[in-house]
Amino acid sequence: VIDARMEKGLGVVADCVIRWGKVECGDFVVSGTNGGRVKFLNDVANKPIKQAKPSQPVRIVGFKSLPKAGDPIVCASSEEEAKEIIRQRESELNSERAEIDEDRQVQLQVTGTAAKQNLMMQKAQSKYGFDGEEGGEGTIRIPVVIKADSHGALEAVRDALVGMGTESKLDIVIDPVAMSTGVVTTSDVRMARESDAGIFVFGKVGTADKETKVLAETENVSIRNHDIIYRLLEDAKEYFGKYLPVEHVDKVHGSAKVQAVFEVTDPNKKTVAVAGLRVLEGNLFMGKTKRGRDGELPTACFYRVIRKGSILSDAEKLKASSLRKVKEDVESVRNGEECGLGLVGFNDLEEGDVVECFSIEEKRATI
């Protein structure tokens, strides 16, 4: 088997090359634990043929489930013989799993689709050096569920997504908690919900039924469908952002120099210091910034006092108690203008101090 995939109207389609013997329409075929009967046999030009001979690449339609890329296909003389071959192989696989389970007393039981994809998961873990654990201190683990319409596409998507983590400047592990071919099922949605993962679907896969869609919406599981790989990666980069840390960054809006300090009585009849300022650059704001031209919402503003090049430890994040221009209360003062500024809980202003107006923004790291 070179590749296998689901095609609408045809079902399972397997591309393969005949090594020896011949294959005809109506033959019973077995690949791994997957079987079926050849319904259609096409050549590389997708034209129907009656018989395929050694070294000839062909397209077989008729498997009941997706065979794995790389697995050999054998022809059986009858449907009973094909079923017997499958039973023997399943028995051998179960015996191997039982032997492994004896050495691993404590582990989750893996069945169904997950069991079929176990070997692929092991290859990914070995190649990229992760084992499904949370990782070391500071490691960001991003779980994903991957679905595709063929095994070849499944591996390509897995490699691309995991590669995003290994190539990132951050310590990120993209962890495929489940990978399988075929439609998205309720089992996939439940797996994504339990592991807080998104489901990334590549190719013409879709969802199995209405129940699956409803469950995904109810459980707030994101199913993201793409048939172009670079669009899937762009979407993944944006989606992975929710797992990344948020940094708090100061955005300076303006600064002013203290030209004089006055003592005034506030509404509570307490003596407070008010600085006479000249704005050196930008703007000063009373409480919040103004709405930006690009629709940016107003944000809360704070002040800090800088003396001889250093920020005063007790004046790192102060709120304005008053902002006046001439004798009027104002919401903002522009570059070059003079104003009076009072700061809540801080009266130790000196002539020559620099006052900075800033806001604190949240900036999410990028992968």
Side-chain angles (χ1 to χ4, degrees), residues 75-337:
C75 289
S77 59
S78 65
E79 185 176 7
E80 289 72 22
E81 182 182 2
K83 290 181 178 179
E84 181 60 28
I85 293 173
I86 293 173
R87 279 195 293 268
Q88 290 177 359
R89 291 180 176 179
E90 287 178 341
S91 177
E92 291 172 0
L93 285 174
N94 291 332
S95 298
E96 291 176 2
R97 292 180 189 134
E99 292 176 2
I100 294 173
D101 290 344
E102 289 178 2
D103 298 328
R104 300 178 182 177
Q105 294 298 324
V106 181
Q107 68 173 26
L108 292 174
Q109 184 180 8
V110 181
T111 59
T113 302
K116 295 178 183 178
Q117 302 302 325
N118 188 46
L119 179 59
M120 190 178 293
M121 291 293 296
Q122 290 177 355
K123 288 180 179 179
Q125 291 162 2
S126 174
K127 180 176 180 179
Y128 295 103
F130 61 85
D131 55 9
E133 299 298 327
E134 289 294 332
E137 185 177 354
T139 299
I140 302 168
R141 174 181 170 272
I142 302 178
V144 293
V145 173
I146 306 173
K147 302 287 292 188
D149 55 4
S150 70
H151 288 290
L154 191 65
E155 294 186 4
V157 173
R158 176 205 64 197
D159 290 348
L161 289 176
V162 173
M164 291 176 67
T166 57
E167 294 170 6
S168 173
K169 60 183 179 181
L170 300 174
D171 187 5
I172 295 175
V173 171
I174 308 298
D175 185 4
V177 295
M179 302 189 303
S180 60
T181 53
V183 297
V184 178
T185 65
T186 54
S187 297
D188 296 320
V189 174
R190 292 189 181 97
M191 170 64 77
R193 176 197 62 194
E194 294 299 325
S195 55
D196 189 29
I199 301 177
F200 287 87
V201 184
F202 184 74
K204 299 177 181 179
V205 177
T207 52
D209 48 36
K210 185 178 179 180
E211 180 187 358
T212 303
K213 293 180 181 179
V214 171
L215 181 63
E217 292 175 359
T218 303
E219 299 296 343
N220 198 27
V221 172
S222 178
I223 301 176
R224 315 176 83 83
N225 294 275
H226 296 279
D227 53 12
I228 299 177
I229 188 64
Y230 80 84
R231 288 182 180 171
L232 183 145
L233 296 179
E234 287 179 351
D235 183 32
K237 185 177 181 180
E238 180 180 349
Y239 177 79
F240 292 162
K242 75 173 190 175
Y243 295 91
L244 303 183
V246 174
E247 301 173 315
H248 291 91
V249 181
D250 291 351
K251 180 179 180 180
V252 177
H253 299 288
S255 63
K257 188 173 183 178
V258 177
Q259 295 181 312
V261 180
F262 308 95
E263 288 188 350
V264 299
T265 302
D266 66 9
N268 296 322
K269 297 183 179 180
K270 292 183 179 180
T271 302
V272 296
V274 172
L277 306 174
R278 174 177 287 276
V279 181
L280 301 176
E281 57 182 349
N283 301 278
L284 305 186
F285 297 97
M286 173 58 194
K288 291 185 177 182
T289 60
K290 293 182 178 180
R291 180 183 288 271
R293 292 181 179 178
D294 56 355
E296 183 180 356
L297 295 176
T299 55
C301 285
F302 303 94
Y303 286 86
R304 54 185 165 223
V305 179
I306 302 171
R307 184 171 296 163
K308 296 179 180 179
S310 300
I311 300 174
L312 299 183
S313 59
D314 57 344
E316 294 179 332
K317 187 180 177 183
L318 303 170
K319 290 184 177 181
S321 60
S322 63
L323 182 63
R324 307 191 73 182
K325 188 164 62 174
V326 188
K327 294 183 179 181
E328 295 183 359
D329 292 325
V330 293
E331 292 298 320
S332 64
V333 184
R334 294 182 294 180
N335 180 28
E337 296 181 338

